[in-house]
Amino acid sequence: MALYNTPKLKPFVRSEASNQRSRDNAVVAATGTAILSGTVLGKVTATGKYKPYANGNSDGTEVAAGILYEGVPAGITGDVKAVIFNMDCEVNRKELTGLDVAGEADLRALGIKVRGVTTPGIATPAL
């Protein structure tokens, strides 16, 4: 999927910056396990490729760096070209996969506001 195909917004996206400025092309390192649309991603320091974010990792993916637009099906391995949201947008908390308090703070630093109130201890406007 190319960045400028103007695909319909996914349910996790509430709003994005004009002219798709919120999106970037990226490479996701697929391992055969499905990666859902709306998965919070981290960027592997050594390769620059994206993988699912986890706060306990130590390869760069312990910092949330974006959100996957289109999911990667199970059974796919190797590098997958993808579109990610990595700046200036609003997203629905309940539609994200892998979000935690630290990840939300990382996304906020990128200009990504997470809306909704389903994570304990965090209260953001439901809009």
Side-chain angles (χ1 to χ4, degrees):
M1 168 180 296
L3 177 63
Y4 293 104
N5 281 353
T6 316
K8 181 179 176 187
L9 288 179
K10 295 290 186 175
F12 74 85
V13 182
R14 293 195 85 129
S15 69
E16 67 173 314
S18 64
N19 297 318
Q20 298 181 346
R21 190 169 53 86
S22 303
R23 306 177 194 193
D24 255 333
N25 290 312
V27 175
V28 174
T31 61
T33 304
I35 306 173
L36 302 174
S37 173
T39 295
V40 178
L41 301 173
K43 189 174 186 179
V44 179
T45 305
T47 65
K49 298 174 186 174
Y50 290 82
K51 290 180 11 184
Y53 157 83
N55 193 28
N57 290 348
S58 60
D59 62 354
T61 59
E62 70 274 11
V63 176
I67 303 169
L68 184 63
Y69 176 79
E70 189 70 49
V72 177
I76 303 292
T77 58
D79 294 347
V80 176
K81 291 180 181 179
V83 172
I84 62 169
F85 281 78
N86 63 350
M87 67 183 320
D88 300 334
C89 61
E90 293 178 297
V91 295
N92 291 318
R93 180 184 313 279
K94 69 180 182 174
E95 301 289 339
L96 300 180
T97 300
L99 182 68
D100 62 11
V101 174
E104 182 171 350
D106 296 339
L107 292 176
R108 174 67 80 143
L110 298 171
I112 299 174
K113 288 189 175 185
V114 180
R115 301 293 191 188
V117 293
T118 59
T119 300
I122 298 176
T124 55
L127 298 181

